Amino acid sequence: MTTWSSDELNRIEAADELEMAPRRSDGTLRKPVPIWVVREGDDLYVRSYRGPDGSWWRTARSSHEGRVRSGGVDKDVAFTEETDASVNDRIDAAYRAKYGRFGGAYVNPMVAARPTTLKLVPR
């Protein structure tokens, strides 16, 4: 299994947004959409602000693969659902710490979107 390099993790962690382009069922990539990304240890996670209604999330959950770009890093990834409650608790804290400056109107929906948590696994 491929892992993120320290440089890639640091660069993506420092960026406010990540461009997410999940792969469609026909093999093409969706148009990239900007989303928030957080780091927990040596892993990167994303959530859908719109919850399970987010169209990029539905595509990512269905295909389990796509491409991300952030902080000068451009990478093919696999998406795996993160359901571990303790990991999600730490992801909640990471969203609050990184994006708290934007206020609860933006951060609270991201914390509430726990069921949409996807881990980004480099390929």
Side-chain angles (χ1 to χ4, degrees):
M1 178 182 286
T2 305
T3 59
W4 296 103
S5 71
S6 293
D7 180 60
E8 290 170 329
L9 286 167
N10 291 335
R11 290 166 64 185
I12 294 171
E13 178 182 31
D16 274 340
E17 293 182 328
L18 175 135
E19 291 183 15
M20 163 71 70
R23 193 165 303 281
R24 295 181 182 108
S25 60
D26 68 3
T28 63
L29 294 173
R30 282 179 48 105
K31 180 180 174 182
V33 295
I35 62 171
W36 286 354
V37 59
V38 295
R39 177 180 179 179
E40 166 47 33
D42 290 335
D43 296 313
L44 297 168
Y45 297 92
V46 296
R47 290 178 175 168
S48 172
Y49 180 83
R50 299 188 188 284
D53 294 330
S55 61
W56 73 261
W57 183 83
R58 290 192 318 267
T59 303
R61 185 171 182 243
S62 174
S63 71
H64 300 284
E65 61 181 62
R67 188 156 191 87
V68 297
R69 183 179 310 132
S70 182
V73 177
D74 196 351
K75 201 91 159 167
D76 287 323
V77 296
F79 306 116
T80 60
E81 294 180 53
E82 182 57 67
T83 58
D84 183 282
S86 64
V87 173
N88 270 291
D89 287 344
R90 294 191 301 273
I91 294 168
D92 291 349
Y95 271 105
R96 287 185 183 108
K98 183 173 181 179
Y99 297 107
R101 68 187 185 277
F102 294 106
Y106 294 100
V107 176
N108 291 344
M110 296 306 292
V111 171
R114 283 176 84 138
T116 67
T117 305
L118 296 175
K119 181 178 176 179
L120 306 179
V121 181
R123 296 171 36 133

